[in-house]
Each structure stands twice: as structure tokens, then as C-alpha cells.
Amino acid sequence: MADTAQETHAPVQDDPSRRDFIYIAAIAAAAGGAVATVWPFVDQMNPSADTLALASVEYDLTKVEPGQQVVILWRKQPLFIRNRTPEQIAAAIKDDNAAMKDPQKDEARHKPGKAQWLILLGSCTHLGCVPTVGGGEYGGWFCPCHGSVYDTSGRIRKGPAPLNLAVPEYSFLSDTKVKIG
Amino acid sequence: MLRKITLLAATLGLLLGAAAAPALANTAEEPANVHWDFEGPFGRYGKAENQAQLQRGYKVYREVCSSCHSMKLVSFRNLGDPGGPFWNPKYKNPNDNPVVKAIAADYQVDDIDTDTGDTTKRPGIPADRFPSPFANDYAAKASNGGANPPDMSLLARAREGQGRYIFSILMGYENPPAGVTLNPGQHYNKYMAGGVIAMPPPLKAGQVTYDDGTPSSLEQEAMDVSAFLMWAADPHADDRKNTGIAVLIYLLLFSGLLYLAYRQVWKNESH
Amino acid sequence: MSGHSTYEPKNAFSKWLDARLPVTRLVWDSFVDYPTPRNLNYWWTFGGILTLCLGIQILTGIVLAMHYQVGGATAFNSVEHIMRDVRHGWLIRNIHATGASMFFIAVYIHMLRGLYYGSFKPPREVLWLLGCLIYGIMMATAFMGYVLPWGQMSFWGAKVITNLLGVFPGVGQSITTWLWGGYGVDDPTLNRFFSLHYLLPFVIAGVVVLHIWALHVVGQNNPTGVDPKSKADTLPFTPYATAKDAFAMSLFLIVFAVFVFFLPDAMGHADNNIPANPLQTPPHIVPEWYFLPFYAILRAIPDKLMGALAMFGAIGCLFALPWLDTSKVRSMRYRPTAKICFVIFMVVCIILGFCGANKPDDQVIPGLAGFMLLDANANSWVWLSRIGTFYYFLYFLVITPMLGLTETPLPVPETIASPVVANAEKKG
């Protein structure tokens, strides 16, 4: 379909408008067909149906002790499920009005009435390394790659990362069960 | 010009004829000449009565075939895909389709307990594949007198005659003709190559009670389950045919335009 | 590409580029201003169609390789993953699988056109040899590609054809073991076939460039077989040939689309939808249709080594053709006897195709009892394939050399334009 380009200097000069119409229509049809053909070849790289089918997982929270963090694999990425102690929650709320790169209240980072459960994407917002839990001067996370420091609410406090650790879409199915994604 | 095109078409036809040369010259009878509404360029699985047939066919598979035959390549969610037996336009994402979820949850699938590392069973989710009735091929063979029941995911496309072949096998059990001696565990089926089949007659009239009240004659059951297996082997058939019609319309118009352009270019040149 | 270039850069940038890398000049001289005989018919459009086929196969192949997982345990399921789960995967795979057949339909028409109009005769021997080389690499590529889905036909086809190379006395066994990377067709075989299947299309593309280069040095042949003598005999490639090629390509794509969307299983074999099983041979192993005539020649001869040699010899005849043909006249349009022999040859090739598709001992005419002739019944495919094989070699090795010396051709026109003008006058 590629070389359908018709030359502009046609051999006959009898009826220029009809001639031009045919050439323009043919070229336009070829271009339209080419664009429609390209789409499947681009779209095939998007996640396939089986990948999409596993985009959400359910997790039983009783497996996480207070003060602990469990890392599970979600959409082929680490997901932090942290059971925060009252002290950690208090430390996070205390800093709600401190100067931050990406200001956010602690209550915006967990589900209402579930302050103990912090569920975050375990991927540093700088370049995607996995931050280590409990590191850094705020007791949240510390990214070993380039030294970003997060607090106990997962907010960026120091270092090159521009944003807070992302909160995925999730919901509580019961008091002890969450569905992520 | 026209003559040349005819010549071209004839040549293509000859070559294709050679391509389609029958590779089946065995002793079995040709599969019965039955048809389904969803076949052909304009037939669709998604049509209401065809979808009802797929649902009945799924029930036959679930209640009869699946006790011996695996369907490893098909996921529960596929049942709720467009054109599938339980497609519901309300649930664009088949993982949310309650019928599909219920079917999946009815199966126990293997899993690993991430705390202990033990193998466990859990109810299926739409993303799971259909679990196999036997742990592996050897177990399948051992339980079936040495003959491994073939996987059904692609069965309809893995036999000459496709769905017609499956239908025929289900209908083709007979008393062996004189001169054919059967060993224990063997049966006579006139559509099987060689006539001898290890599978006992799997279906009989009334074996499955259809939810939609369709009388379950042997022929009805055989038609329905063959239909389901044809869909399972080619789940994107509807999409394929729809796209095909659009592509052909485009190409015909485009060819027309190109022909006009070609005539225009060559107008004053003899050739 | 003889003579001087007529390309004139129009703006400052094209002047600048032309002085440094005259790529636009090359394209202009090769595909725009290139003088094309004015009497080319539709059989001449298959060169462009083949380029399109190669492009489609490379493009869809690269996409499929993004999803295919090579390996005995994963190959079959990953192909099914493409067919079921990858977005538009069924479409891309159907195009690639059907595309192989369409490619061969086009290449056979292209080759028969060359045979009929004498396009292999001097000065086009190298052009023809390059074409034969492309055909050879195409066969290797198609064979290895058919192995990749790792179905029953893939596996057993690979086993049968690689075993064929074991016929050479002394070294045969070492060759097959080396080819397999083991004691049988297995994961290492599949992996190397995948690697080569990915490589060879680009080799083809390279040889195609040489093929077109050679074509542009000697110029296109034409239905009269007479060399262009003046400007009146030719037209510029663009728009004349491009317009005709584009229309023919579009018609070809219609046939292509019918198979992709409505007959996706027509060119394949049902057994290849069963995963490879080294313990069980399919009841009837057949190669893809485009290999069937050669497969029939292989089986026509009851000796393994001789059969293999005959099969390779059948392909070898094509390479030797420029030196086998003694005719002074290129086009069979002016060679009535040769034309009849050629039509018989085409029919024989198709018959050999049917012979390859059927079991050798089955009856050709059902119900006719026949009689024993040496080792097989006379009414069997094996005897039909022997007759076909005999004519195949007779055509290349006897008819083609002899006919050129003995026949009396019809009068050949002085120039291309003369019969064209005569035609135009007849049409009024």
C-alpha cells in the first residue's frame, strides 16, 4: 500500500479537476488505510488480556503484625502494606503542616478510620528503586539508590524524589481483607 | 484486460486447489455434514440463540467432558468475553461478570500458600485457567486405560472436519461390523480413523438437563458441545469476521479508486 | 541504470543532500524516471507484490517475536497466548501465517512468468540466479518458521526434513546431530531455528536489493522479449508502472484478506494445533502446500539418497536454466511448441503437488483396481508422481535444450512499440 503515490504531472491535461479528484481520493484512501493498519501494530504492545485479568489482588491483613511491613507483588511491582504503630501515626500527623515538596495531610493517605493501614506502591518516585522500610531520619523509608527520605506517611521529606510514595486504588472488603487494584 | 484478470484468478484458483488437496485418505467415514448458525462470514457467536447454544454446550462440557478432558488454554474470564457463552454487555470487563465469577469459584484451583510454601487449593477466580482433571499426562493415561484424553482447548481446530468431526464422533458409536474384534476398553466408532476408539460413548439422550428447557436429545447435546468447543478453539471469530468485512469493503473501494487512477494515468498511452 | 541521471534537486536542502548522499537521486533514477517497457502486462506486477509480501512478513514477524517464547515447554502456549490474549494477536498471527502462503503464491507466479517470457536468458542470468537464491532462502525461512509453533506438524516436519540431510554417506549422521544440537529434534533445534528464522528475512531483503540492482542494470524484460530500442518503447516507471503495480497490489490484498479473515485454517494443517509429541507420529505427515511438488519428487524415487538428490536437483535445475535453454528467442509468445511444453510443465507441477499431499499407495482414481507395476500399483499416487518427476526433469534437461535448436519460432517483432501500435490500430 506504500507506493500508491500518484505523480502530479499526469500525461493528460484534458480534465484537471476530475483527474486531481481521483488522485487525491486514492492518496487519501491509502493514507487512511495505512493509519488504520498501524493501530493494531502499536496497540499490541499494550497489556494483554491475561495481564489485565490479574490487575487486582486480594490480601488478608491479619498476616501483618503491628509495626511491620509486608511487601507483596502487585502488577509486577512491590506493594508496601504497613501496619503502623500509634507513635508512627502521631509522628505523621504532627508533621502535617511542615514544609514539604508534595504537601499532603496524613489522613489523605489512608482510608477513613483505618489510620493503622498504610498501603503504598513500593517504588521510589525518583527513578523507581525499592525504598527500605524504617530507614532515614523520619522512620519511614529510605531509598538506597539516591538517598530520598520518606516519613511514616510515605511523604517525601528529603532527597531528589519529587513526589510522595503513590497510594494505589484499593478498598476494604472487610475489616481484615483489602482488594488492591 | 478482463481476460487477463480471469487468467490470474484461474491460476490462483489452481494453486489454491493444490493447497487444499485432501490430506485425508483414511478408512474412517467423512464427518457428517452438519452446520451451525455461527459459521460462515456472516454467522456470529454473539447472536442470542447462538449464545444460548454455547451456554448449553458449556453445560455439557462441564457435566460430562470435563471429568476426563482438560481445557488448559481457556480461562474462566474467556466465558465472559464478547462472543463467549456468558458475555454480558453490562460487564465489559469479564472479570466482573457475576456468572463468570460463580463458575470460577465453583472450581478448586491449585495454589501455593505464601506463608508455608505448601500447595493448597482455593476457589478459582476469573483470571484462572480451567484446571485439569488429572495431575499430568501420565496420570491421565493411567486412569483411562492407556489413552490420554486430548486437551479440548483447540480440539475443534486440531481435527480435519473441525466441529463436524467432534459431532460425528459423539454420534458415531455403533456395534462393530463383522470382522472387527474389540479388546476390552475399546469401542467401535465409524468416524474414528481405524474405527477403534478408547473413549466409551460419552453422551446419551437426556444426560444433561438444559436450563433453558431445550429437550436434550443426543443430537442436541452433540451439536451444543461441538459448538462450545468450536468457540473455545477460536474465541475471536466474531471480531475476526467483523474486521474482515470492514477490511474487504475498504479494499474494494480502494481498488476501484486505484483502477480509476491507473486508467487516468495510462489514458493516452497505448499498451 | 545505464546512462546519465535526470534528477535535478529542486531546493537548497536537496542540493545540499545530493552533494553528500545522493539517496534521493538513487530513488528518482530507480523508481521514478526509470524507463519501463510500455507493454508490461499484469504478470509483471508480482515483483512489487513480492516486495510488499516481504515487508508484511518482516513487520508482523517482528511483532510476533515480541510475544513468542521460544522453548519446547513454552512455544506452543505462547502462540496460543498470542491468538487468545495479546491485543490483535490473532490478526497479526493470521497475517503472518497466511502471508507465508501468499508469498509463495506470488513467488511461483513471478517465477513462471520468468520461465514463460525467457527472463532468465542473457543478459539476465545473474538477475535470475539472485532470484533463485531468494527462493532458496525463502524455502529455508518458511520451513523453520513452520517449526516455531511447535505443534505436531512442526515437530515431525522438522524431524523428517532434517533426517533427509542424513542421507549423505559418511557425514550424514554428524550433520543431523549438529543440526539438532542433540540426538533428536529438541529445544536446541527450536532455538536455533528461531534465531535463523529471524535472521534470514533480512538476508532475503539484502539479496532483493541486489536483485533489483541487477534488474536495473540490464533493464526489464517484457512480453515480446525484444529489447527496448528507442524512447518510444518505454515509459517512465512513475506514474505508469507505479499506478499499475498499486492497483495489482490492492487486488492481491483482497485475496490475502479473504484468507486472513475468513479462511485462516485453509492453508494450515489441523495436526499443528496439537502440541508436539515426540512419542507419537501424526498418521499422515505432509509439508506446507508450497513444498508439495518437491516432496512428491522425493517420494517418487524408492531410494533415500537418490530421492534426496532428485529433490535438490529439481531446485538445482532452476539455477542451471540460463545455460540449459538454447533458444534464440526469449518470449514463448513466439515459440508455439515451447508454449505447449510449458503449459504441460505447469500442470505437472500442480499434479506433483497433489501427489505430495496424498499417501503414495492410495489410489489416484478411486475404485479402479489397476495392476502391479514393479513395486507399486499403477493406479497409485507414487506412480503418478514418478511420471510427473520424469516430465519435470525432461522439461529442464531435454526439452529446453533441444527445442531451442530444433524449433522454428514465429516472426518476432522488430521493436516493442510495433506490436503495441498494431494492437492500438486493431482496437481502433
Side-chain angles (χ1 to χ4, degrees):
Chain A
M1 251 185 262
D3 53 352
T4 50
Q6 305 302 326
E7 260 310 292
T8 43
H9 57 80
V12 260
Q13 305 298 328
D14 50 350
D15 183 0
S17 61
R18 178 172 178 271
R19 184 197 74 211
D20 289 347
F21 170 75
I22 291 171
Y23 296 157
I24 291 167
I27 292 167
V35 170
T37 311
V38 164
W39 173 241
F41 288 86
V42 173
D43 191 39
Q44 51 86 19
M45 291 223 259
N46 276 318
S48 58
D50 55 334
T51 307
L52 292 179
L54 280 173
S56 66
V57 295
E58 290 175 14
Y59 191 76
D60 182 5
L61 293 173
T62 55
K63 292 175 188 167
V64 194
E65 300 291 330
Q68 265 200 339
Q69 166 183 283
V70 164
V71 183
I72 63 170
L73 200 61
W74 176 69
R75 294 186 183 175
K76 300 288 163 195
Q77 300 214 62
L79 187 82
F80 294 159
I81 300 175
R82 188 161 179 178
N83 189 345
R84 294 192 292 179
T85 59
E87 299 81 56
Q88 288 169 337
I89 299 171
I93 293 172
K94 185 167 66 67
D95 286 354
D96 267 355
N97 295 315
M100 279 186 276
K101 268 192 201 169
D102 183 14
Q104 223 181 355
K105 299 251 186 278
D106 184 59
E107 64 191 38
R109 304 196 39 88
H110 57 76
K111 295 286 172 198
K114 307 274 185 192
Q116 130 195 52
W117 296 109
L118 197 60
I119 298 184
L120 301 171
L121 208 55
S123 172
C124 180
T125 57
H126 180 220
L127 291 169
C129 293
V130 183
T132 46
V133 68
E137 59 241 61
Y138 296 93
W141 287 270
F142 174 75
C143 183
C145 289
H146 305 97
S148 292
V149 177
Y150 299 90
D151 66 15
T152 51
S153 190
R155 294 172 295 203
I156 181 67
R157 301 301 291 269
K158 256 176 81 178
L163 296 170
N164 301 336
L165 288 177
V167 182
E169 192 187 309
Y170 69 96
S171 58
F172 279 85
L173 299 177
S174 70
D175 271 355
T176 56
K177 203 157 196 190
V178 281
K179 183 189 175 203
I180 301 125
Chain B
M1 166 64 213
L2 200 68
R3 191 183 59 88
K4 287 172 188 166
I5 293 183
T6 324
L7 209 68
L8 192 91
T11 314
L12 277 178
L14 266 176
L15 284 165
L16 299 181
L24 32 91
N26 48 32
T27 53
E29 258 184 57
E30 289 287 308
N33 193 24
V34 288
H35 292 279
W36 287 265
D37 183 66
F38 51 77
E39 290 181 302
F42 302 105
R44 296 290 180 274
Y45 287 115
K47 198 172 151 188
E49 54 264 44
N50 294 336
Q51 199 188 23
Q53 180 168 47
L54 292 185
Q55 292 183 3
R56 294 195 300 271
Y58 171 69
K59 191 160 191 193
V60 179
Y61 169 77
R62 174 75 175 107
E63 292 182 8
V64 184
C65 316
S66 71
S67 52
C68 297
H69 289 273
S70 59
M71 195 162 62
K72 293 177 198 168
L73 301 171
V74 181
S75 305
F76 296 116
R77 66 187 157 80
N78 293 136
L79 299 173
D81 281 338
F86 299 100
W87 159 246
N88 184 343
K90 233 166 69 189
Y91 302 101
K92 293 267 184 283
N93 179 354
N95 301 299
D96 299 333
N97 186 317
V99 183
V100 173
K101 280 175 142 173
I103 287 171
D106 197 32
Y107 277 89
Q108 291 289 313
V109 298
D110 290 325
D111 204 353
I112 290 169
D113 189 321
T114 47
D115 293 332
T116 62
D118 295 336
T119 53
T120 58
K121 295 268 189 194
R122 61 164 171 82
I125 58 168
D128 289 319
R129 305 272 175 102
F130 275 85
S132 302
F134 302 102
N136 51 51
D137 285 357
Y138 301 107
K141 264 189 187 171
S143 309
N144 289 282
N148 189 0
D151 183 81
M152 280 191 159
S153 327
L154 265 175
L155 190 65
R157 291 176 73 195
R159 299 290 184 273
E160 295 289 346
Q162 306 206 332
R164 269 168 279 284
Y165 174 85
I166 297 173
F167 171 83
S168 303
I169 287 288
L170 293 172
M171 302 287 290
Y173 284 90
E174 281 177 0
N175 288 324
V180 175
T181 43
L182 297 173
N183 296 325
Q186 290 188 331
H187 307 269
Y188 183 78
N189 192 315
K190 63 179 173 179
Y191 294 109
M192 187 79 184
V196 177
I197 189 168
M199 173 171 71
L203 285 175
K204 58 180 189 295
Q207 182 150 0
V208 174
T209 308
Y210 285 133
D211 301 328
D212 61 2
T214 307
S216 46
S217 64
L218 172 61
E219 193 179 352
Q220 184 71 43
E221 291 170 339
M223 283 299 275
D224 291 348
V225 76
S226 305
F228 172 73
L229 293 175
M230 286 162 87
W231 166 81
D234 189 14
H236 292 295
D238 283 7
D239 195 9
R240 172 163 60 76
K241 293 180 206 169
N242 289 337
T243 315
I245 287 170
V247 168
L248 280 183
I249 290 173
Y250 166 77
L251 280 176
L252 286 170
L253 292 175
F254 186 48
S255 300
L257 273 176
L258 286 175
Y259 181 67
L260 291 178
Y262 158 66
R263 291 300 299 244
Q264 193 70 38
V265 166
W266 282 80
K267 205 166 183 176
N268 283 11
E269 294 296 342
S270 54
H271 59 289
Chain C
M1 230 174 297
S2 50
H4 67 283
S5 172
T6 59
Y7 175 69
E8 279 170 32
K10 287 196 182 67
N11 55 42
F13 173 72
S14 42
K15 275 190 192 116
W16 178 86
L17 185 66
D18 191 54
R20 285 155 182 83
L21 180 70
V23 63
T24 40
R25 178 180 297 276
L26 180 70
V27 170
W28 176 271
D29 292 343
S30 314
F31 301 108
V32 180
D33 192 46
Y34 179 65
T36 312
R38 65 192 307 142
N39 60 335
L40 296 188
N41 56 29
Y42 277 98
W43 301 117
W44 259 266
T45 60
F46 281 87
I49 288 171
L50 282 164
T51 318
L52 178 73
C53 286
L54 180 63
I56 290 174
Q57 291 303 89
I58 288 181
L59 181 66
T60 51
I62 287 173
V63 167
L64 289 174
M66 293 181 187
H67 303 282
Y68 174 75
Q69 290 171 301
V70 66
T74 53
F76 188 88
N77 286 351
S78 73
V79 171
E80 276 305 307
H81 172 248
I82 292 169
M83 289 297 280
R84 290 165 189 272
D85 288 333
V86 172
R87 292 172 188 225
H88 318 287
W90 59 269
L91 172 65
I92 293 160
R93 197 236 171 172
N94 278 357
I95 293 176
H96 196 73
T98 309
S101 285
M102 302 311 291
F103 207 157
F104 274 96
I105 289 173
V107 89
Y108 283 135
I109 294 174
H110 192 66
M111 290 162 72
L112 287 171
R113 190 268 288 155
L115 278 177
Y116 182 82
Y117 292 112
S119 301
F120 52 86
K121 294 179 72 59
R124 298 190 179 83
E125 303 97 316
V126 173
L127 175 62
W128 175 263
L129 286 182
L130 288 167
C132 291
L133 187 61
I134 293 171
Y135 174 58
I137 308 173
M138 262 178 77
M139 290 201 287
T141 311
F143 163 66
M144 289 190 274
Y146 194 60
V147 174
L148 301 186
W150 211 236
Q152 274 287 70
M153 258 331 151
S154 300
F155 181 87
W156 290 97
K159 187 152 186 173
V160 167
I161 299 300
T162 48
N163 266 317
L164 198 63
L165 299 170
V167 296
F168 300 107
V171 292
Q173 193 56 47
S174 317
I175 292 177
T176 45
T177 308
W178 171 77
L179 211 56
W180 290 334
Y183 301 109
V185 175
D186 198 3
D187 276 36
T189 326
L190 179 59
N191 273 44
R192 63 194 59 179
F193 277 17
F194 177 56
S195 168
L196 293 173
H197 182 74
Y198 205 118
L199 167 72
L200 289 181
F202 298 98
V203 176
I204 292 179
V207 184
V208 165
V209 170
L210 296 181
H211 189 65
I212 295 174
W213 185 5
L215 172 74
H216 285 204
V217 169
V218 296
Q220 279 165 298
N221 188 24
N222 65 79
T224 64
V226 179
D227 289 326
K229 295 197 174 64
S230 69
K231 277 247 164 193
D233 290 340
T234 62
L235 291 167
F237 190 86
T238 301
Y240 294 96
T242 26
K244 195 167 187 164
D245 279 359
F247 174 56
M249 278 182 200
S250 190
L251 292 183
F252 184 79
L253 286 177
I254 290 176
V255 180
F256 201 138
V258 166
F259 278 95
V260 166
F261 293 106
F262 299 104
L263 297 163
D265 292 330
M267 300 291 196
H269 195 286
D271 275 293
N272 222 29
N273 286 318
I274 304 170
N277 179 357
L279 299 177
Q280 195 178 27
T281 309
H284 184 42
I285 300 177
V286 279
E288 290 290 83
W289 68 266
Y290 34 81
F291 293 134
L292 287 175
F294 299 111
Y295 191 55
I297 291 173
L298 168 76
R299 293 191 308 186
I301 291 162
D303 177 79
K304 191 177 172 185
L305 178 60
M306 294 312 287
L309 288 178
M311 190 182 77
F312 291 119
I315 300 164
C317 285
L318 292 169
F319 283 86
L321 185 59
W323 295 276
L324 289 172
D325 191 328
T326 54
S327 171
K328 297 273 184 295
V329 176
R330 280 204 194 102
S331 173
M332 286 193 197
R333 189 180 265 188
Y334 310 107
R335 302 176 61 199
T337 321
K339 197 188 275 185
I340 294 167
C341 297
F342 174 78
V343 171
I344 298 172
F345 172 76
M346 279 204 304
V347 173
V348 161
C349 287
I350 292 168
I351 289 175
L352 280 173
F354 278 94
C355 293
N358 284 282
K359 287 184 184 166
D361 293 334
D362 281 351
Q363 293 182 328
V364 179
I365 307 159
L368 186 72
F371 56 91
M372 278 306 281
L373 189 61
L374 300 177
D375 59 341
N377 193 301
N379 178 23
S380 65
W381 291 101
V382 68
W383 267 110
L384 188 62
S385 61
R386 281 171 190 170
I387 298 167
T389 305
F390 178 73
Y391 185 82
Y392 185 100
F393 286 104
L394 187 77
Y395 180 80
F396 280 111
L397 302 179
V398 180
I399 295 176
T400 304
M402 296 303 290
L403 208 54
L405 302 174
T406 58
E407 74 182 342
T408 320
L410 300 175
V412 177
E414 276 300 300
T415 63
I416 292 173
S418 50
V420 168
V421 172
N423 273 346
E425 278 164 6
K426 231 188 309 175
K427 277 183 204 159

